[in-house]
Amino acid sequence: MAHENGTATAGGAPPGNSNAIRHGLTCAALPKGAGHVRVVTLNLRREIENAIMEARGEVSLYDACIVQTAVRWERVALLASLWLRREAMLTPDQRLNFSREVARASGERDKCLRLLGLHAKERQGAID
C-alpha cells in the first residue's frame, strides 16, 4: 500500500485487531459429514488465541504452533466421538479403543494449554 504522497506503508491489521493474530496454520480437510467438527475447532482456536492475546498481548509463532496442536488433538477427540456414535458395527474392543482415543486426545489438548500457560489463569480465576 502507499500513501497519497507515494510513500509505502506497512500492511496488515492495526495493533489490537484480532486479524493480526492470523498465522496461516490450518487444519487438514475433514471427512464428509463432519463439518461441525470444523466449526467447533475453529471456535476453540479463536478462544485460545483470545486468551493468549489477553494474557500476553500477542500470539507468537511458537504459541500459534501450540494452538494448532491443541486444535488438532481436539479434532481427533471429536472425530473419534463421532465415529463411536455412527459406527453401529464396532466390536466392544473397537468401541473401547475409540473411547480411549477421545480421552487421550483430550489429555494431549490440555497439555498444550498448560504449555501456553493458560491453565494457571483458569485455576486462579476459579479460586477468586
Side-chain angles (χ1 to χ4, degrees):
M1 259 188 120
H3 284 291
E4 291 175 8
N5 66 8
T7 59
T9 61
N17 183 319
S18 65
N19 291 331
I21 62 175
R22 291 288 138 214
H23 37 66
L25 299 174
T26 60
C27 291
L30 293 166
K32 187 176 181 176
H36 73 284
V37 171
R38 176 173 161 65
V39 172
V40 170
T41 55
L42 286 174
N43 286 339
L44 176 64
R45 176 187 297 269
R46 198 169 300 115
E47 286 183 41
I48 296 170
E49 288 172 343
N50 287 342
I52 295 167
M53 287 293 289
E54 186 178 311
R56 296 197 273 285
E58 71 174 351
V59 177
S60 70
L61 178 59
Y62 177 77
D63 292 338
C65 291
I66 299 297
V67 170
Q68 182 182 35
T69 302
V71 169
R72 284 179 172 169
W73 279 115
E74 182 67 9
R75 183 179 54 181
V76 168
L78 292 168
L79 287 173
S81 294
L82 175 69
W83 293 327
L84 187 59
R85 284 190 311 274
R86 279 190 188 170
E87 302 301 325
M89 302 305 285
L90 292 175
T91 67
D93 283 344
Q94 290 171 324
R95 288 188 173 282
L96 188 57
N97 284 335
F98 272 100
S99 296
R100 280 190 195 115
E101 283 304 306
V102 172
R104 187 172 77 85
S106 296
E108 293 295 329
R109 177 208 55 213
D110 294 348
K111 285 179 189 175
C112 293
L113 297 178
R114 283 191 296 276
L115 279 172
L116 293 167
L118 299 179
H119 68 292
K121 185 174 194 289
E122 292 298 322
R123 196 173 332 129
Q124 181 183 27
I127 296 171
D128 291 347

